[in-house]
Coordinates of all heavy atoms in Angstrom, one line a residue:
A1 N 0.9 -1.2 0.0 CA 0.0 0.0 0.0 C 0.9 1.2 0.0 O 1.9 1.3 0.6 CB -0.9 0.0 1.2
L2 N 0.4 2.2 -0.7 CA 1.2 3.6 -0.7 C 1.1 4.2 0.6 O 0.1 4.4 1.3 CB 0.5 4.5 -1.8 CG 1.2 5.7 -2.0 CD1 2.6 5.6 -2.5 CD2 0.4 6.6 -3.0
R3 N 2.3 4.6 1.1 CA 2.5 5.2 2.4 C 2.8 6.7 2.2 O 3.7 7.0 1.4 CB 3.4 4.5 3.3 CG 2.9 3.1 3.6 CD 3.8 2.4 4.7 NE 3.7 2.9 6.0 CZ 2.7 2.7 6.9 NH1 1.6 1.9 6.5 NH2 2.6 3.2 8.0
L4 N 2.2 7.6 2.9 CA 2.5 9.0 2.9 C 2.8 9.5 4.3 O 1.8 9.6 5.1 CB 1.2 9.8 2.3 CG 0.6 9.2 1.0 CD1 -0.7 9.8 0.8 CD2 1.6 9.7 -0.1
G5 N 4.0 9.7 4.6 CA 4.3 10.2 5.9 C 3.9 9.3 7.1 O 3.5 9.8 8.1
G6 N 4.0 8.1 6.9 CA 3.6 7.1 7.9 C 2.2 6.6 7.8 O 1.8 5.7 8.5
F7 N 1.4 7.3 6.9 CA 0.0 6.9 6.7 C -0.2 6.2 5.4 O 0.5 6.6 4.4 CB -0.9 8.1 6.8 CG -0.9 8.8 8.1 CD1 -0.1 9.9 8.4 CD2 -1.8 8.3 9.1 CE1 -0.1 10.5 9.7 CE2 -1.8 9.0 10.3 CZ -1.0 10.0 10.6
R8 N -1.0 5.3 5.4 CA -1.4 4.7 4.1 C -2.4 5.6 3.4 O -3.1 6.4 4.0 CB -2.1 3.3 4.3 CG -1.1 2.3 4.7 CD -1.7 0.9 5.0 NE -2.8 1.1 5.9 CZ -3.7 0.1 6.2 NH1 -3.8 -0.9 5.5 NH2 -4.6 0.4 7.1
R9 N -2.4 5.6 2.1 CA -3.3 6.4 1.3 C -4.7 6.3 1.7 O -5.5 7.2 1.8 CB -3.2 6.1 -0.2 CG -4.1 6.9 -1.1 CD -4.2 6.4 -2.5 NE -5.1 7.1 -3.3 CZ -6.4 6.9 -3.3 NH1 -6.9 6.0 -2.5 NH2 -7.2 7.6 -3.9
V10 N -5.2 5.1 1.9 CA -6.6 4.8 2.4 C -6.9 5.5 3.7 O -8.0 5.9 3.8 CB -6.9 3.3 2.4 CG1 -6.1 2.6 3.5 CG2 -8.4 3.1 2.5
E11 N -5.9 5.6 4.6 CA -6.2 6.3 5.9 C -6.3 7.8 5.6 O -7.2 8.4 6.3 CB -5.0 6.0 6.8 CG -5.0 4.6 7.2 CD -3.8 4.2 8.0 OE1 -2.7 4.9 7.8 OE2 -3.7 3.2 8.8
L12 N -5.5 8.3 4.8 CA -5.6 9.8 4.5 C -6.9 10.1 3.8 O -7.6 11.1 4.1 CB -4.4 10.2 3.7 CG -3.1 10.6 4.4 CD1 -2.1 11.0 3.4 CD2 -3.4 11.6 5.5
V13 N -7.3 9.3 2.8 CA -8.6 9.5 2.1 C -9.7 9.4 3.2 O -10.7 10.3 3.2 CB -8.8 8.5 1.0 CG1 -10.2 8.5 0.5 CG2 -7.8 8.7 -0.1
A14 N -9.8 8.4 4.0 CA -10.7 8.3 5.1 C -10.8 9.5 6.0 O -11.8 10.0 6.3 CB -10.6 7.1 5.9
A15 N -9.6 10.0 6.4 CA -9.5 11.1 7.3 C -10.1 12.4 6.6 O -10.8 13.2 7.2 CB -8.1 11.4 7.7
A16 N -9.7 12.5 5.2 CA -10.2 13.7 4.5 C -11.7 13.7 4.4 O -12.4 14.7 4.5 CB -9.5 13.8 3.2
Q17 N -12.2 12.5 4.1 CA -13.7 12.3 3.9 C -14.4 12.6 5.3 O -15.5 13.3 5.3 CB -14.0 10.9 3.4 CG -13.7 10.8 2.0 CD -13.8 9.3 1.5 OE1 -13.6 8.4 2.2 NE2 -14.0 9.2 0.2
T18 N -13.8 12.2 6.4 CA -14.4 12.4 7.7 C -14.4 14.0 8.0 O -15.4 14.5 8.5 CB -13.6 11.7 8.8 OG1 -13.7 10.3 8.6 CG2 -14.2 12.0 10.2
A19 N -13.2 14.6 7.7 CA -13.1 16.1 7.9 C -14.2 16.7 7.1 O -14.8 17.7 7.5 CB -11.8 16.5 7.5
L20 N -14.4 16.3 5.8 CA -15.4 17.0 5.0 C -16.9 16.8 5.6 O -17.6 17.7 5.7 CB -15.3 16.3 3.7 CG -15.9 17.0 2.4 CD1 -15.3 18.5 2.3 CD2 -15.6 16.3 1.2
A21 N -17.1 15.6 6.1 CA -18.4 15.3 6.6 C -18.6 16.1 7.9 O -19.7 16.4 8.3 CB -18.5 13.8 7.0
D22 N -17.5 16.4 8.6 CA -17.6 17.2 9.9 C -17.5 18.7 9.7 O -17.4 19.5 10.6 CB -16.5 16.7 10.9 CG -16.6 15.4 11.4 OD1 -17.8 14.8 11.3 OD2 -15.7 14.8 11.9
D23 N -17.5 19.0 8.4 CA -17.4 20.5 8.0 C -16.1 21.1 8.5 O -16.0 22.3 8.6 CB -18.6 21.3 8.5 CG -19.8 21.3 7.6 OD1 -19.7 21.0 6.4 OD2 -20.9 21.5 8.2
D24 N -15.1 20.3 8.6 CA -13.7 20.8 8.8 C -13.1 20.9 7.4 O -12.2 20.1 7.0 CB -13.0 19.8 9.7 CG -11.6 20.4 10.3 OD1 -11.3 21.5 9.8 OD2 -11.0 19.8 11.2
N25 N -13.6 21.8 6.6 CA -13.2 21.8 5.2 C -11.9 22.2 4.9 O -11.2 21.8 4.0 CB -14.2 22.9 4.5 CG -15.6 22.4 4.8 OD1 -16.0 21.3 4.5 ND2 -16.6 23.3 5.3
Q26 N -11.2 23.1 5.7 CA -9.8 23.5 5.5 C -8.9 22.3 5.8 O -8.0 22.0 5.0 CB -9.4 24.6 6.5 CG -8.0 25.1 6.3 CD -7.9 25.8 5.0 OE1 -8.7 26.6 4.5 NE2 -6.8 25.5 4.2
W27 N -9.2 21.5 6.8 CA -8.4 20.3 7.0 C -8.6 19.3 5.9 O -7.6 18.6 5.5 CB -8.8 19.7 8.4 CG -7.9 18.5 8.8 CD1 -8.5 17.3 9.2 CD2 -6.5 18.4 8.9 NE1 -7.4 16.5 9.5 CE2 -6.2 17.1 9.3 CE3 -5.5 19.3 8.7 CZ2 -4.9 16.6 9.5 CZ3 -4.2 18.8 8.8 CH2 -3.9 17.5 9.2
A28 N -9.8 19.1 5.4 CA -10.1 18.2 4.3 C -9.2 18.6 3.1 O -8.7 17.8 2.4 CB -11.5 18.2 4.0
A29 N -9.2 19.9 2.8 CA -8.5 20.4 1.6 C -7.0 20.2 1.8 O -6.2 19.8 0.9 CB -8.7 21.9 1.4
Q30 N -6.5 20.4 3.1 CA -5.0 20.1 3.3 C -4.7 18.6 3.2 O -3.6 18.3 2.6 CB -4.7 20.6 4.7 CG -4.7 22.2 4.8 CD -4.3 22.7 6.2 OE1 -5.1 22.6 7.0 NE2 -3.1 23.2 6.3
L31 N -5.6 17.8 3.6 CA -5.3 16.4 3.5 C -5.3 15.9 2.0 O -4.5 15.1 1.6 CB -6.3 15.5 4.3 CG -6.2 15.6 5.8 CD1 -7.4 14.9 6.5 CD2 -4.8 15.0 6.3
A32 N -6.3 16.5 1.3 CA -6.3 16.2 -0.1 C -5.0 16.7 -0.9 O -4.6 16.1 -1.8 CB -7.6 16.9 -0.8
D33 N -4.5 17.9 -0.4 CA -3.2 18.4 -1.0 C -2.1 17.4 -0.7 O -1.3 17.2 -1.6 CB -2.9 19.7 -0.3 CG -3.6 20.9 -1.0 OD1 -4.0 20.8 -2.1 OD2 -3.7 22.0 -0.3
Q34 N -2.1 16.8 0.4 CA -1.0 15.8 0.7 C -1.1 14.6 -0.3 O -0.2 14.1 -0.8 CB -1.1 15.3 2.1 CG -0.8 16.3 3.2 CD 0.6 16.8 3.0 OE1 1.6 16.1 2.9 NE2 0.7 18.1 3.0
L35 N -2.4 14.2 -0.6 CA -2.6 13.1 -1.5 C -2.1 13.5 -2.9 O -1.5 12.7 -3.7 CB -4.0 12.7 -1.5 CG -4.5 11.9 -0.2 CD1 -6.0 11.9 -0.1 CD2 -3.9 10.5 -0.2
L36 N -2.5 14.8 -3.3 CA -2.2 15.2 -4.6 C -0.7 15.5 -4.8 O -0.2 15.5 -6.0 CB -3.0 16.5 -4.9 CG -4.5 16.2 -5.1 CD1 -5.3 17.5 -5.2 CD2 -4.8 15.4 -6.4
A37 N 0.1 15.7 -3.7 CA 1.5 15.9 -3.8 C 2.2 14.7 -4.2 O 3.2 14.7 -4.9 CB 2.0 16.5 -2.5
V38 N 1.5 13.5 -3.8 CA 2.2 12.2 -4.2 C 1.7 11.8 -5.6 O 2.4 11.3 -6.4 CB 1.8 11.2 -3.1 CG1 2.3 9.8 -3.6 CG2 2.4 11.5 -1.8
D39 N 0.4 12.0 -5.8 CA -0.2 11.6 -7.1 C -1.2 12.7 -7.6 O -2.3 12.7 -7.2 CB -0.9 10.3 -6.9 CG -1.6 9.8 -8.3 OD1 -1.4 10.4 -9.3 OD2 -2.4 8.7 -8.1
N40 N -0.6 13.5 -8.5 CA -1.4 14.6 -9.0 C -2.6 14.2 -9.8 O -3.5 15.0 -10.1 CB -0.5 15.6 -9.9 CG -1.1 16.9 -10.0 OD1 -1.7 17.5 -9.1 ND2 -1.0 17.5 -11.3
D41 N -2.7 13.0 -10.1 CA -3.9 12.4 -11.0 C -4.9 11.7 -10.1 O -5.8 11.1 -10.6 CB -3.4 11.6 -12.1 CG -2.6 12.3 -13.1 OD1 -2.9 13.4 -13.4 OD2 -1.6 11.7 -13.6
D42 N -4.8 11.8 -8.8 CA -5.7 11.1 -7.8 C -7.1 11.7 -8.0 O -7.3 12.8 -7.3 CB -5.1 11.2 -6.4 CG -5.9 10.3 -5.4 OD1 -7.1 10.0 -5.6 OD2 -5.3 9.9 -4.4
A43 N -8.0 11.0 -8.6 CA -9.4 11.6 -8.8 C -10.1 11.8 -7.5 O -10.9 12.7 -7.3 CB -10.1 10.7 -9.8
T44 N -10.0 10.8 -6.6 CA -10.6 10.9 -5.3 C -10.1 12.2 -4.5 O -11.0 12.9 -4.0 CB -10.3 9.6 -4.4 OG1 -10.8 8.5 -5.2 CG2 -11.1 9.7 -3.2
A45 N -8.9 12.4 -4.5 CA -8.3 13.5 -3.8 C -8.8 14.8 -4.4 O -9.1 15.8 -3.7 CB -6.8 13.4 -3.7
K46 N -8.9 14.9 -5.7 CA -9.3 16.0 -6.5 C -10.8 16.3 -6.1 O -11.1 17.5 -5.9 CB -9.2 15.9 -8.0 CG -7.8 16.0 -8.5 CD -7.7 15.8 -9.9 CE -6.3 15.9 -10.4 NZ -6.2 15.9 -11.9
Q47 N -11.6 15.3 -6.0 CA -13.0 15.5 -5.7 C -13.2 15.9 -4.3 O -14.0 16.9 -4.0 CB -13.8 14.2 -5.9 CG -15.3 14.3 -5.8 CD -15.9 15.3 -6.8 OE1 -15.7 15.2 -8.0 NE2 -16.7 16.2 -6.3
I48 N -12.4 15.4 -3.3 CA -12.5 15.8 -1.9 C -12.0 17.3 -1.8 O -12.7 18.0 -1.1 CB -11.5 14.9 -1.0 CG1 -12.1 13.5 -1.0 CG2 -11.3 15.6 0.4 CD1 -11.2 12.5 -0.3
K49 N -11.0 17.6 -2.5 CA -10.5 19.1 -2.3 C -11.5 20.0 -3.0 O -11.8 21.1 -2.5 CB -9.1 19.2 -3.0 CG -8.6 20.6 -2.9 CD -7.2 20.8 -3.3 CE -6.8 22.2 -3.1 NZ -5.4 22.5 -3.5
A50 N -12.1 19.5 -4.2 CA -13.1 20.4 -4.8 C -14.3 20.6 -3.9 O -14.9 21.7 -3.8 CB -13.5 19.7 -6.1
D51 N -14.8 19.5 -3.3 CA -15.9 19.7 -2.3 C -15.5 20.6 -1.1 O -16.3 21.3 -0.7 CB -16.3 18.2 -1.8 CG -17.0 17.4 -3.0 OD1 -17.3 17.9 -4.0 OD2 -17.1 16.2 -2.7
A52 N -14.4 20.4 -0.6 CA -14.0 21.2 0.5 C -13.9 22.7 0.1 O -14.4 23.5 0.8 CB -12.6 20.7 1.1
L53 N -13.3 23.0 -1.0 CA -13.3 24.4 -1.5 C -14.7 25.0 -1.8 O -14.9 26.1 -1.4 CB -12.4 24.5 -2.7 CG -10.9 24.2 -2.5 CD1 -10.2 24.2 -3.9 CD2 -10.3 25.2 -1.6
T54 N -15.5 24.2 -2.3 CA -16.9 24.6 -2.6 C -17.6 25.0 -1.2 O -18.3 26.0 -1.1 CB -17.7 23.6 -3.3 OG1 -17.1 23.3 -4.6 CG2 -19.1 24.0 -3.5
K55 N -17.4 24.1 -0.2 CA -18.0 24.4 1.1 C -17.4 25.6 1.7 O -18.0 26.4 2.4 CB -17.9 23.2 2.0 CG -18.8 22.0 1.5 CD -18.6 20.7 2.3 CE -19.2 20.7 3.6 NZ -19.2 19.4 4.3
L56 N -16.0 25.8 1.6 CA -15.4 26.9 2.1 C -15.9 28.2 1.4 O -16.1 29.2 2.0 CB -13.8 26.9 1.9 CG -13.1 25.9 2.8 CD1 -11.7 25.7 2.4 CD2 -13.1 26.5 4.3
A57 N -16.1 28.2 0.2 CA -16.6 29.3 -0.7 C -18.0 29.8 -0.1 O -18.3 31.0 -0.2 CB -16.8 29.0 -2.1
R58 N -18.8 28.9 0.4 CA -20.2 29.2 0.8 C -20.2 30.2 1.9 O -21.1 31.0 2.1 CB -21.0 27.9 1.3 CG -21.3 27.1 0.1 CD -22.2 25.9 0.6 NE -22.4 25.0 -0.5 CZ -22.4 23.7 -0.3 NH1 -22.3 23.1 0.9 NH2 -22.6 22.9 -1.4
N59 N -19.1 30.1 2.8 CA -19.0 31.0 3.9 C -18.1 32.2 3.8 O -17.9 33.0 4.6 CB -18.5 30.2 5.2 CG -19.6 29.1 5.5 OD1 -20.8 29.3 5.5 ND2 -19.1 28.0 5.9
M60 N -17.5 32.3 2.5 CA -16.6 33.4 2.3 C -17.2 34.7 2.0 O -18.1 34.7 1.1 CB -15.7 32.9 1.1 CG -14.5 33.8 0.8 SD -13.4 34.1 2.2 CE -12.9 32.5 2.5
V61 N -17.0 35.7 2.7 CA -17.6 37.0 2.5 C -16.9 37.7 1.4 O -17.5 38.4 0.6 CB -17.5 37.8 3.8 CG1 -18.0 39.2 3.6 CG2 -18.2 37.1 5.0
N62 N -15.6 37.6 1.3 CA -14.8 38.3 0.3 C -15.1 37.6 -1.1 O -14.8 36.4 -1.3 CB -13.3 38.1 0.6 CG -12.4 38.8 -0.4 OD1 -12.4 38.5 -1.6 ND2 -11.6 39.7 0.1
A63 N -15.6 38.4 -2.0 CA -16.0 37.8 -3.4 C -14.8 37.3 -4.2 O -15.0 36.3 -4.9 CB -16.7 39.0 -4.2
T64 N -13.7 38.0 -4.1 CA -12.5 37.5 -4.8 C -12.0 36.1 -4.3 O -11.8 35.2 -5.1 CB -11.3 38.5 -4.7 OG1 -11.8 39.8 -5.2 CG2 -10.1 38.1 -5.5
A65 N -12.0 36.0 -3.1 CA -11.6 34.7 -2.5 C -12.7 33.6 -2.8 O -12.3 32.5 -3.1 CB -11.5 34.8 -0.9
R66 N -13.9 33.9 -2.7 CA -15.0 33.0 -3.1 C -14.8 32.5 -4.5 O -14.9 31.4 -4.8 CB -16.4 33.6 -2.8 CG -17.5 32.6 -3.1 CD -18.9 33.2 -2.7 NE -19.2 34.5 -3.2 CZ -19.3 35.6 -2.6 NH1 -19.0 35.7 -1.3 NH2 -19.5 36.8 -3.2
N67 N -14.6 33.5 -5.4 CA -14.4 33.2 -6.8 C -13.2 32.2 -7.0 O -13.3 31.3 -7.8 CB -14.3 34.4 -7.6 CG -14.1 34.1 -9.1 OD1 -15.1 33.5 -9.7 ND2 -13.1 34.6 -9.7
Y68 N -12.1 32.5 -6.2 CA -10.9 31.7 -6.4 C -11.3 30.2 -6.0 O -10.9 29.3 -6.7 CB -9.8 32.2 -5.6 CG -8.6 31.4 -5.5 CD1 -7.7 31.3 -6.5 CD2 -8.4 30.5 -4.4 CE1 -6.6 30.5 -6.5 CE2 -7.3 29.7 -4.3 CZ -6.4 29.7 -5.4 OH -5.3 28.9 -5.4
Y69 N -11.9 30.1 -4.8 CA -12.2 28.8 -4.3 C -13.1 28.0 -5.4 O -12.9 26.9 -5.6 CB -13.0 28.8 -3.0 CG -12.1 29.1 -1.7 CD1 -12.7 29.7 -0.7 CD2 -10.9 28.7 -1.7 CE1 -11.9 30.0 0.4 CE2 -10.1 29.0 -0.6 CZ -10.6 29.6 0.4 OH -9.9 29.8 1.6
L70 N -14.1 28.7 -5.9 CA -15.0 28.0 -6.8 C -14.3 27.7 -8.1 O -14.7 26.7 -8.7 CB -16.3 28.9 -7.0 CG -17.2 29.0 -5.8 CD1 -18.3 30.0 -6.0 CD2 -17.8 27.6 -5.4
T71 N -13.5 28.6 -8.6 CA -12.7 28.4 -9.9 C -11.8 27.1 -9.8 O -11.8 26.3 -10.6 CB -11.9 29.6 -10.3 OG1 -12.9 30.7 -10.5 CG2 -11.2 29.4 -11.6
V72 N -11.0 27.1 -8.6 CA -10.2 25.9 -8.4 C -10.9 24.6 -8.3 O -10.6 23.6 -8.8 CB -9.3 26.2 -7.2 CG1 -8.5 24.9 -6.9 CG2 -8.3 27.4 -7.4
A73 N -12.1 24.7 -7.6 CA -13.0 23.5 -7.4 C -13.5 23.1 -8.8 O -13.4 21.9 -9.0 CB -14.2 23.8 -6.5
R74 N -13.9 24.0 -9.6 CA -14.3 23.5 -11.0 C -13.2 23.0 -11.8 O -13.4 22.0 -12.4 CB -14.9 24.8 -11.7 CG -15.6 24.4 -13.1 CD -15.9 25.6 -14.0 NE -14.7 26.2 -14.5 CZ -14.4 27.5 -14.4 NH1 -15.2 28.3 -13.9 NH2 -13.2 27.9 -14.9
E75 N -12.0 23.5 -11.7 CA -10.9 23.0 -12.5 C -10.5 21.6 -11.9 O -10.2 20.7 -12.7 CB -9.7 23.9 -12.4 CG -9.9 25.2 -13.1 CD -8.8 26.2 -12.9 OE1 -7.9 26.0 -12.1 OE2 -8.8 27.3 -13.6
L76 N -10.6 21.4 -10.7 CA -10.3 20.0 -10.1 C -11.3 19.0 -10.5 O -10.9 17.9 -10.9 CB -10.3 20.1 -8.5 CG -9.1 20.8 -7.9 CD1 -9.3 21.0 -6.5 CD2 -7.8 19.8 -8.1
R77 N -12.6 19.4 -10.6 CA -13.6 18.4 -11.0 C -13.4 18.1 -12.5 O -13.6 16.9 -12.9 CB -15.0 19.0 -10.7 CG -15.4 19.0 -9.3 CD -16.8 19.4 -9.0 NE -17.1 19.4 -7.7 CZ -17.2 20.4 -6.8 NH1 -17.0 21.6 -7.3 NH2 -17.5 20.2 -5.5
E78 N -13.2 19.1 -13.3 CA -12.9 18.9 -14.7 C -11.8 18.0 -15.0 O -11.8 17.1 -15.8 CB -12.8 20.2 -15.5 CG -14.2 20.9 -15.5 CD -13.9 22.3 -16.2 OE1 -12.8 22.7 -16.6 OE2 -15.0 23.0 -16.3
S79 N -10.7 18.2 -14.2 CA -9.4 17.4 -14.4 C -9.6 15.9 -13.8 O -8.8 15.0 -14.2 CB -8.2 18.0 -13.8 OG -8.3 18.1 -12.4
A80 N -10.6 15.7 -13.0 CA -10.8 14.4 -12.3 C -11.6 13.5 -13.2 O -11.7 12.3 -13.0 CB -11.4 14.5 -11.0
K81 N -12.3 14.1 -14.3 CA -13.2 13.3 -15.1 C -12.4 12.5 -16.0 O -11.3 12.9 -16.5 CB -14.1 14.3 -16.0 CG -15.1 15.0 -15.2 CD -15.9 15.9 -16.1 CE -16.9 16.7 -15.4 NZ -17.5 17.7 -16.2
P82 N -12.8 11.2 -16.3 CA -12.1 10.4 -17.3 C -12.2 11.0 -18.6 O -13.3 11.6 -19.0 CB -12.8 9.1 -17.2 CG -14.1 9.3 -16.5 CD -14.0 10.6 -15.7
E83 N -11.2 10.8 -19.5 CA -11.2 11.4 -20.8 C -11.8 10.5 -21.8 O -12.0 9.4 -21.8 CB -9.8 11.8 -21.1 CG -9.3 12.9 -20.3 CD -7.9 13.3 -20.8 OE1 -7.5 13.1 -21.9 OE2 -7.2 14.0 -19.9

């Protein structure tokens, strides 16, 4: 199994999904970043990060920051789709 800093990939995915379910969206995005640092084509990590950024955007007062989160989320979703 792929190990990332002492954790298996499956454990990091589970932790990111739990963080997302608990509305700990910043942590979910950071965990997804760790997965993407090892495998930039990880569709699961891209989806988790996109979902986390979308949820972060909902509470963002600053329009520029909100637009950035939503744009990155859209790009992640598009790149995670099979060709």
Side-chain angles (χ1 to χ4, degrees):
L2 180 62
R3 295 188 71 79
L4 308 164
F7 293 94
R8 289 182 302 169
R9 178 189 176 281
V10 67
E11 292 168 336
L12 279 181
V13 168
Q17 289 171 330
T18 298
L20 201 55
D22 292 343
D23 279 334
D24 193 353
N25 303 309
Q26 185 65 47
W27 182 234
Q30 288 178 286
L31 290 171
D33 276 340
Q34 293 298 313
L35 291 162
L36 290 168
V38 173
D39 180 5
N40 197 40
D41 295 323
D42 187 332
T44 302
K46 287 181 180 183
Q47 187 61 51
I48 291 169
K49 185 171 179 181
D51 291 347
L53 292 175
T54 300
K55 290 172 81 173
L56 284 168
R58 289 183 188 146
N59 297 322
M60 186 57 56
V61 176
N62 182 299
T64 303
R66 183 174 52 249
N67 183 58
Y68 174 77
Y69 284 151
L70 293 173
T71 299
V72 172
R74 186 188 72 230
E75 290 172 357
L76 285 166
R77 286 189 179 101
E78 288 174 357
S79 69
K81 291 179 183 174
E83 295 184 18

